[in-house]
Amino acid sequence: MSDGLRVSVVVVSHQRPEALSRCLTSLTQLDFAEFEVVVAADAPGLAAVRALGLGGAVKQMLVEAPGISGARNAGLSVAAGDVVAFIDDDAVAEPTWLTHLTGPFRDARVAAASGFVRGRNGISFQWKARTVDRLGRHMPLVVPQGAPSLHRGTPERAIKTEGTNMAFRRAALARIGGFDPAYRFFLDETDVNMRLALEGAVTAIVPLAQVHHSFAPSPRRAATRAPLSLFENGASTAVYLRKFAPELDRAAGFARLRADERRRVVRQIVRGNLGPRDLRRLMDDLEAGLADGLSRPIRARAPLPPATEPFRPFPGMPGRGHLLLAGRPWQARRLRRSAETLVYGGQPVTLFLFSPTSFFHRMRFRQPGYWEQTGGLFGRSDRGQRLFRITGFHARVQREKARLSHVRSFEATIRNNSPLARGDATNSGN
């Protein structure tokens, strides 16, 4: 429930229309009542919006020039919500994401919020809670795992919001001038965190506000996560240190960046994702970026005006529970067909396919819009579990359902021999 809070969700996309389609499909299943969606994207991205049949439901901003800060500001210019949330185009949201993420804004002290981010396997976490200092160094932040917690930033250390899972009170973000376009692809939200911390702003960490982030390839990163360019890493770091680090500490910050990036490239070379010659090329690229960042103008950000367009409600699924289908891999074709039929009928679905093995589990959000968890009946889902555990099929289904119940509201479980699992019905009411 929104409790009267109107929220704008901004998605920035560049050269990734397929990823954007998956992201938007996940947003159609949010259980939040009052939200709008703003997409700031290039022409292929906006074409993907229309191909999904969402052209009239989404505020669209054509942004052809690369640069995430400028695109986020373009989205912010038309975002009419009291709170503005951000998710990357290569991420998908849990149905309860927005409900959890925006809950803390009922407290007038809260200026920002950030949730937890799951990685490529859909189960392990990429990022939880962190702080960041004036040199851009991150430190873990210990927080309660089942409830939001509030944290006040200081001039020395900000509360980190993850760019793919964050929200701001629009008035607070507009007051500081939004995102700084001097950052094109790196440290843009960290800069916002530091500027808010200088004001002593309060940030909520919300563990149950969860998104799944796939790290889709881009002109700066391969599908293996191997860097293709380090130019903007260098440029943005130079800008950040010039803005926030004491002058005597900047050299140490540059040295740390060089060491960190060298280690990252070497790891990718060892894995076979880069060649030995790439080390020199990428480190030269980093140095060029540092030089560029040292010359970029740093200007005070003027406050942003109110939104230029009225609020445009987006068709989510408030109050709609998830249906759980469960079966074995040899029943996958039939169960997936059933899941697709249910999704087309407006029913959110999670599908479990468990084999009689000890394979690790994986969670994916598949088009046309259902969640699928695969793995061995005796294998790990949470990577902290035992490597092998004897269990029955029904017991494992119930255990995995309980694991997800904090972020998905299940209304029924359908086993593989039911009419729904056979595809004989089109909605959960039968």
Side-chain angles (χ1 to χ4, degrees), residues 94-399:
E94 286 284 353
T96 56
W97 167 62
L98 207 56
T99 299
H100 288 302
L101 185 65
T102 60
F105 288 96
R106 300 186 193 100
D107 186 329
R109 296 173 298 171
V110 174
S114 188
F116 282 15
V117 180
R118 294 191 185 269
R120 285 185 172 185
N121 64 27
I123 294 173
S124 302
F125 286 106
Q126 276 178 5
W127 300 303
K128 290 187 175 180
R130 300 187 288 174
T131 63
V132 61
D133 68 7
R134 296 167 71 180
L135 293 177
R137 296 175 298 194
H138 297 101
M139 291 290 293
L141 177 65
V142 178
V143 299
Q145 297 298 292
S149 54
L150 304 186
H151 308 268
R152 189 179 298 278
T154 70
E156 298 298 323
R157 187 166 292 277
I159 310 303
K160 181 79 171 72
T161 61
E162 305 302 342
T164 191
N165 185 1
M166 62 184 182
F168 301 92
R169 200 176 295 278
R170 191 190 191 283
L173 191 53
R175 185 180 65 253
I176 65 171
F179 296 88
D180 188 342
Y183 303 91
R184 294 172 188 164
F185 293 106
F186 185 58
L187 293 176
D188 52 300
E189 72 273 5
T190 308
D191 175 89
V192 168
N193 299 154
M194 282 302 302
R195 284 187 282 147
L196 288 174
L198 291 172
E199 299 181 346
V202 171
T203 297
I205 300 298
V206 194
L208 296 182
Q210 296 182 10
V211 305
H212 298 240
H213 186 219
S214 66
F215 276 117
S218 74
R220 294 160 304 283
R221 179 184 65 221
T224 60
R225 295 181 63 181
L228 302 177
S229 171
L230 293 177
F231 185 90
E232 287 301 332
N233 297 54
S236 292
T237 299
V239 172
Y240 184 88
L241 293 176
R242 288 168 62 204
K243 290 183 71 170
F244 301 111
E247 188 170 357
L248 292 176
D249 294 337
R250 293 174 192 171
F254 294 141
R256 181 180 59 85
L257 175 70
R258 292 184 179 104
D260 289 347
E261 295 295 357
R262 178 178 290 273
R263 280 192 294 269
R264 182 159 73 107
V265 173
V266 169
R267 283 196 301 268
Q268 294 291 344
I269 292 173
V270 171
R271 293 169 183 166
N273 298 325
L274 292 173
R277 293 182 180 179
D278 289 317
L279 178 60
R280 177 62 179 272
R281 175 183 63 82
L282 286 168
M283 296 308 294
D284 286 347
D285 200 35
L286 180 69
E287 292 299 327
L290 285 168
D292 187 77
L294 289 172
S295 65
R296 287 183 184 178
I298 294 177
R299 301 185 178 94
R301 300 287 300 160
L304 302 181
T308 58
E309 296 184 14
F311 191 83
R312 185 184 304 178
F314 186 80
M317 295 184 182
R320 195 67 188 266
H322 248 64
L323 188 69
L324 176 60
L325 300 180
R328 309 293 187 139
W330 51 87
Q331 299 158 332
R333 179 175 296 180
R334 173 166 51 83
L335 290 168
R336 286 168 178 160
R337 187 167 58 246
S338 298
E340 290 184 13
T341 300
L342 290 161
V343 166
Y344 282 131
Q347 172 62 57
V349 175
T350 293
L351 170 61
F352 288 167
L353 294 172
F354 297 157
S355 63
T357 68
S358 59
F359 292 160
F360 285 10
H361 285 225
R362 182 180 177 89
M363 177 73 74
R364 300 177 180 89
F365 185 75
R366 300 174 65 104
Q367 291 285 33
Y370 63 90
W371 296 88
E372 180 179 292
Q373 182 172 331
T374 57
L377 190 60
F378 316 118
R380 288 177 176 172
S381 52
D382 188 315
R383 295 328 191 233
Q385 294 173 344
R386 289 185 305 188
L387 189 62
F388 184 89
R389 180 175 181 178
I390 295 293
T391 186
F393 183 81
H394 177 73
R396 187 60 192 261
V397 167
Q398 293 305 310
R399 192 163 84 237

Side-chain angles (χ1 to χ4, degrees), residues 68-78 86 177-181 301 304:
I68 194 168
S69 291
R72 282 178 170 164
N73 284 340
L76 185 59
S77 71
V78 299
F86 295 87
F179 296 88
D180 188 342
R301 300 287 300 160
L304 302 181

